[in-house]
């Protein structure tokens, strides 16, 4: 009886092991499906915060619309500023002229924001923390938007930094300035178009 009992216990262990082995592929399939669902949710969430519907920038043409996230995680659309003059400034922390013009742009923005003038500084691919640190260290008061894969800037045809695009109250591109602004160029190129 002891021999048969040992055989029965061994047989029960084998059956349980076989059952676990049978359930293992099912468990792996369920785990894999869960990972796919999580990945799809993450991708769809990221896609929702970066919508691009623009074409190559051209003076005299409308820019289109886009949606990006700012350094605080807030969703910002260009269309939110319809009826206001908007200066899009393409910049990056790895670009010395971009960083050098930021205090001047901030000063200019402070002087003209009461007229409805808006600056949207679109960061070209820096991590959020780097762009936020730069903005905070320099006390920037205009919006800093993140274009992590430079989809917006590529669609606009921007490859030189800094580049600034002034969109008039009517939504039409008024001027494109490649390179760093000075007070004189802001006064000559931007001020007449935002009044």
């Amino acid at each position: 009886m002891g021999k048969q009992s040992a055989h029965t216990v061994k047989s029960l262990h084998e059956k349980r092991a076989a059952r676990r082995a049978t359930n293992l592929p099912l468990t792996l399939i369920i785990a894999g499906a869960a990972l796919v669902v999580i990945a799809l949710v993450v991708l769809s969430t990221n896609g929702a915060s970066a919508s691009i519907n623009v074409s190559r920038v051209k003076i005299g043409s409308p820019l289109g619309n886009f949606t990006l996230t700012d350094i605080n995680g807030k969703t910002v659309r260009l269309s939110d500023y319809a009826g206001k003059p908007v200066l899009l400034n393409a910049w990056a922390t790895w670009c010395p002229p971009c960083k050098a013009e930021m205090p001047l742009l901030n000063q200019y923005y402070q002087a003209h924001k009461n007229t409805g003038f808006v600056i949207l500084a679109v960061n070209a691919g820096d991590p959020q923390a780097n762009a936020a640190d730069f903005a905070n260290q320099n006390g920037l008061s205009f919006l800093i938007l993140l274009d992590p894969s430079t989809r917006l800037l590529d669609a606009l045809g921007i490859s030189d930094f800094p580049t600034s695009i002034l969109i008039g109250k009517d939504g039409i591109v008024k001027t494109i300035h490649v390179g760093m602004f000075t007070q004189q160029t802001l006064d000559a190129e931007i001020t007449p178009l935002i009044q």
Side-chain angles (χ1 to χ4, degrees):
M1 182 91 176
K3 202 174 192 182
Q4 187 176 4
S5 177
H7 179 66
T8 304
V9 170
K10 184 179 176 187
S11 177
L12 285 174
H13 286 300
E14 287 172 352
K15 285 180 183 177
R16 286 184 187 146
R19 201 172 320 133
R20 279 193 299 262
T22 303
N23 289 339
L24 183 62
L26 180 60
T27 303
L28 290 174
I29 289 170
I30 292 170
L35 287 174
V36 168
V37 168
I38 290 169
L40 289 174
V41 168
V42 168
L43 288 174
S44 68
T45 301
N46 287 342
S49 66
S51 170
I52 311 295
N53 187 18
V54 299
S55 54
R56 190 172 188 86
V57 66
K58 182 179 174 189
I59 293 173
S61 296
L63 189 75
N65 197 19
F66 63 82
T67 304
L68 293 176
T69 303
D70 73 7
I71 55 174
N72 299 312
K74 180 184 169 198
T75 300
V76 177
R77 292 168 196 79
L78 178 59
S79 59
D80 294 342
Y81 302 98
K84 296 182 177 187
V86 176
L87 184 69
L88 284 183
N89 175 260
W91 73 286
T93 60
W94 47 260
C95 165
C98 298
K99 295 189 327 185
E101 80 175 349
M102 283 298 186
L104 176 63
L105 287 178
N106 197 51
Q107 224 174 28
Y108 189 82
Y109 171 69
Q110 290 297 326
H112 294 89
K113 69 180 181 178
N114 291 339
T115 66
F117 175 65
V118 175
I119 294 180
L120 300 177
V122 180
N123 180 270
D126 282 317
Q128 180 274 342
N130 292 13
D133 286 347
F134 180 82
N136 292 332
Q137 288 169 6
N138 289 279
L140 301 180
S141 54
F142 48 79
L143 283 173
I144 307 292
L145 306 181
L146 302 172
D147 190 10
S149 59
T150 67
R151 282 181 51 217
L152 172 63
L153 299 179
D154 291 344
L156 293 172
I158 295 173
S159 57
D160 296 323
F161 297 92
T163 293
S164 295
I165 302 162
L166 181 67
I167 304 156
K169 295 177 183 179
D170 58 1
I172 303 298
V173 174
K174 302 300 182 186
T175 188
I176 302 167
H177 181 88
V178 179
M180 191 172 116
F181 274 119
T182 63
Q183 187 63 55
Q184 292 76 22
T185 54
L186 282 169
D187 290 341
E189 295 177 24
I190 305 301
T191 303
L193 298 173
I194 65 171
Q195 295 178 348

